[in-house]
Amino acid sequence: MTVMSIAGFDPSGGAGVLNDIKTFQALNVYGTAVITALTAQNVKRLDDIIPVNSEFIEKQIDTVLEEENILYVKTGMLYSSDIIKTVASKIKEYQLKIVVDPVMVAGSGGLLSKKDMVNSLKKYLLPLAKLTTPNIFEAEILSGLEIKDESDAVKAALKIGEYCNVVVTGGHLEGNDVFYDGHINVLRGELVESQNTHGSGCTYSAAATAYLYKSFNLEEALIKAGDFTRKSIRQGFNGTLNQFWKFKECTNIKNHDL
Ligand code: PXL
C-alpha cells in the first residue's frame, strides 16, 4: 500500500513530481509518480511546457495500479481541462482518496495551467477530494473573492468548502493556514522569511498526503505538514527547499560538502 503523485515534471528538482517524491521519501513513504506535463524551468523562470496526452496519462495510472495498491493520490499541475477529466475518471474508477493541490502558476510567476482548467477543477475533481490546498492566489481564483487578510481567507475557504475540505495556505497570511472542514479552524504558524521557497506549496500538499496516508486525521496532518514545510524551507538552499533536514547524513542538499 502506498501513495501516488499525479503532477508536472520540474527538471530543476524543486517542485512537481520530483519534489513530491522527495517529500514522501523524507517522511518514509514510498511514492509513485504519474507525469501530466513536462516543463522547462528553473527557480527563476518557466520557459516552456509540453503536456502529456491523456491516453498516456491513463496508461501510466493503469500500469502502476496493476502492481501497486495505492491508497492516497496527490494531484499537482494538471494543466488542462482534458487532463483533469482524465484524472477524475481514474480516481473514480479506482476509488482513490485524493488531495488536490490546485496548481495554477509557478513560483517564478509562469502559468502552469490553461484558463479553462479552473471550471473543470471545480466540476470534476474537487467534489472527489478529501482536501484541497490552495495558496492565497489559487483561493482567490477558486472562490472568485479577493483575499487581503485572514477574514477574507475565511470567506474564500467557506466558498471553496462547498466542494471539499480546504486549507488556504498561509505563506501570505503571516504564516497562518485557514482550514475548513465544516468548521473554520485557523492553524497558527509562523512566516519563514526565505528565498528558498520554490516548491513549498508542493511540499506542504505532499506532506499532508503522506501524513493522511499514515492515518493522522486531517487537522493533525495539516499541522504536521506545516511544521515539515517550515523546517524544509529553513534548511533550503539556492531557491528550493531541503526535505532531508531530519537525517544526519544528508546527501540531498545543494551545498553538501563532497
Ligand atoms: O509549486 C507549483 C508547481 C507545481 N508543479 C510544477 C511546478 C510548480 C512550480 O514551479 O513547476 C511542475
Coordinates of all heavy atoms in Angstrom, one line a residue, residues 14 26 30 41 43 46 60 86 89 99-100 115 127 138 143 147 149 153 172 177 179 211 224 233 236:
G14 N 12.9 21.3 -7.9 CA 12.3 22.0 -6.7 C 10.8 21.8 -6.5 O 10.4 21.8 -5.4
A26 N 11.3 11.5 2.4 CA 11.8 12.0 3.7 C 10.8 11.6 4.8 O 11.2 11.6 6.0 CB 11.9 13.5 3.6
Y30 N 6.7 5.4 0.5 CA 7.2 5.1 -0.9 C 6.2 5.8 -1.9 O 5.0 5.6 -1.8 CB 7.1 3.5 -1.1 CG 7.6 3.1 -2.5 CD1 8.9 2.8 -2.7 CD2 6.7 3.1 -3.6 CE1 9.4 2.4 -3.9 CE2 7.2 2.7 -4.8 CZ 8.5 2.4 -5.0 OH 8.9 2.0 -6.3
Q41 N 12.1 24.7 -16.9 CA 12.1 25.8 -16.0 C 13.3 25.7 -15.0 O 13.9 24.6 -14.8 CB 10.8 25.9 -15.2 CG 10.6 24.7 -14.3 CD 9.3 24.9 -13.4 OE1 9.1 25.9 -12.7 NE2 8.4 24.0 -13.4
V43 N 14.4 27.9 -11.0 CA 13.7 28.6 -9.9 C 13.4 30.0 -10.3 O 12.5 30.6 -9.7 CB 14.5 28.6 -8.6 CG1 14.6 27.2 -8.0 CG2 15.9 29.2 -8.7
L46 N 10.1 30.1 -16.1 CA 9.4 29.0 -16.8 C 9.6 29.2 -18.2 O 9.2 30.3 -18.7 CB 8.0 28.9 -16.4 CG 7.1 27.9 -17.1 CD1 7.4 26.5 -16.6 CD2 5.6 28.2 -16.9
Q60 N -0.2 5.4 -17.7 CA 0.7 5.5 -16.6 C 0.0 5.0 -15.3 O 0.5 4.2 -14.5 CB 1.3 6.9 -16.4 CG 2.2 7.4 -17.4 CD 2.6 8.8 -17.1 OE1 3.5 9.0 -16.2 NE2 2.1 9.8 -17.9
T86 N -9.6 13.3 -17.3 CA -9.0 12.0 -17.4 C -8.6 11.5 -16.0 O -8.9 10.4 -15.6 CB -7.7 12.1 -18.2 OG1 -8.0 12.5 -19.5 CG2 -6.9 10.8 -18.3
S89 N -11.7 10.7 -13.8 CA -12.3 9.4 -14.1 C -11.5 8.3 -13.6 O -12.1 7.3 -13.1 CB -12.7 9.3 -15.6 OG -11.7 8.7 -16.3
V99 N -5.8 14.3 -2.5 CA -5.6 15.6 -2.0 C -5.2 16.4 -3.3 O -4.4 16.0 -4.1 CB -4.3 15.6 -1.1 CG1 -3.9 17.0 -0.7 CG2 -4.7 14.8 0.2
V100 N -5.9 17.5 -3.5 CA -5.8 18.3 -4.7 C -5.0 19.6 -4.4 O -5.5 20.4 -3.7 CB -7.1 18.7 -5.4 CG1 -7.0 19.6 -6.6 CG2 -7.9 17.4 -5.8
K115 N -6.5 28.5 -19.1 CA -7.6 29.2 -18.4 C -8.8 28.4 -18.1 O -9.4 28.5 -17.0 CB -8.1 30.4 -19.4 CG -7.4 31.7 -19.1 CD -8.2 32.9 -19.6 CE -7.4 34.1 -19.5 NZ -7.2 34.8 -20.8
P127 N -15.0 17.9 -6.2 CA -16.0 17.1 -5.5 C -15.5 15.7 -5.1 O -16.2 15.1 -4.2 CB -17.1 17.0 -6.5 CG -16.9 18.2 -7.4 CD -15.4 18.3 -7.5
E138 N -4.5 31.1 -5.5 CA -5.3 30.0 -6.1 C -6.7 30.1 -5.4 O -7.8 29.8 -6.0 CB -4.7 28.6 -5.8 CG -3.4 28.4 -6.7 CD -2.4 27.5 -6.1 OE1 -2.6 27.0 -4.9 OE2 -1.4 27.2 -6.8
S143 N -12.4 30.9 -5.5 CA -13.6 31.4 -4.8 C -14.2 32.6 -5.5 O -15.4 33.0 -5.3 CB -13.2 31.8 -3.4 OG -12.3 32.9 -3.4
I147 N -8.6 38.3 -1.6 CA -8.1 38.0 -0.2 C -7.0 38.9 0.2 O -5.9 38.9 -0.4 CB -7.6 36.5 -0.1 CG1 -8.7 35.5 -0.6 CG2 -7.2 36.2 1.3 CD1 -8.3 34.1 -0.6
D149 N -6.7 39.7 3.8 CA -6.4 39.4 5.2 C -7.0 38.0 5.6 O -7.7 37.4 4.8 CB -6.8 40.5 6.1 CG -8.3 40.8 6.0 OD1 -9.0 39.9 5.5 OD2 -8.7 42.0 6.2
A153 N -9.7 35.3 3.8 CA -9.3 33.9 3.6 C -10.4 33.0 4.1 O -10.7 31.9 3.6 CB -8.0 33.6 4.2
H172 N 1.1 33.8 2.7 CA 0.9 35.3 2.6 C 0.0 35.8 3.7 O -0.5 36.9 3.6 CB 0.3 35.6 1.2 CG 1.1 35.0 0.1 ND1 2.2 35.6 -0.4 CD2 0.9 33.8 -0.6 CE1 2.7 34.8 -1.4 NE2 1.9 33.7 -1.5
D177 N -2.6 29.2 8.5 CA -3.4 28.5 7.5 C -4.9 28.4 7.9 O -5.2 28.2 9.1 CB -2.9 27.0 7.4 CG -1.4 26.9 7.0 OD1 -1.0 27.7 6.2 OD2 -0.7 26.0 7.5
F179 N -8.2 26.6 7.7 CA -8.7 25.3 7.4 C -10.2 25.2 7.6 O -10.7 25.7 8.6 CB -8.0 24.3 8.4 CG -8.5 22.9 8.3 CD1 -8.8 22.2 7.2 CD2 -8.7 22.2 9.5 CE1 -9.2 20.9 7.1 CE2 -9.1 20.9 9.6 CZ -9.4 20.2 8.4
Y211 N 1.0 12.3 5.6 CA 0.5 12.1 7.0 C -0.9 11.5 7.0 O -1.3 10.7 7.9 CB 0.6 13.4 7.7 CG 2.0 13.8 8.1 CD1 2.6 15.0 7.6 CD2 2.7 13.0 9.0 CE1 3.9 15.3 8.0 CE2 4.0 13.4 9.4 CZ 4.6 14.5 8.9 OH 5.9 14.9 9.2
K224 N 1.2 18.9 11.0 CA 2.5 18.3 10.8 C 3.1 18.7 9.5 O 4.3 18.9 9.3 CB 2.3 16.7 10.8 CG 2.2 16.2 12.3 CD 2.1 14.7 12.2 CE 2.5 14.0 13.5 NZ 3.8 14.3 14.0
I233 N 11.9 24.7 4.5 CA 12.3 26.0 3.9 C 13.5 26.5 4.7 O 14.5 27.0 4.1 CB 11.1 27.0 4.1 CG1 9.9 26.6 3.2 CG2 11.6 28.4 3.7 CD1 8.7 27.4 3.4
G236 N 16.6 25.1 3.4 CA 16.7 25.2 1.9 C 18.0 25.9 1.5 O 18.7 26.5 2.3

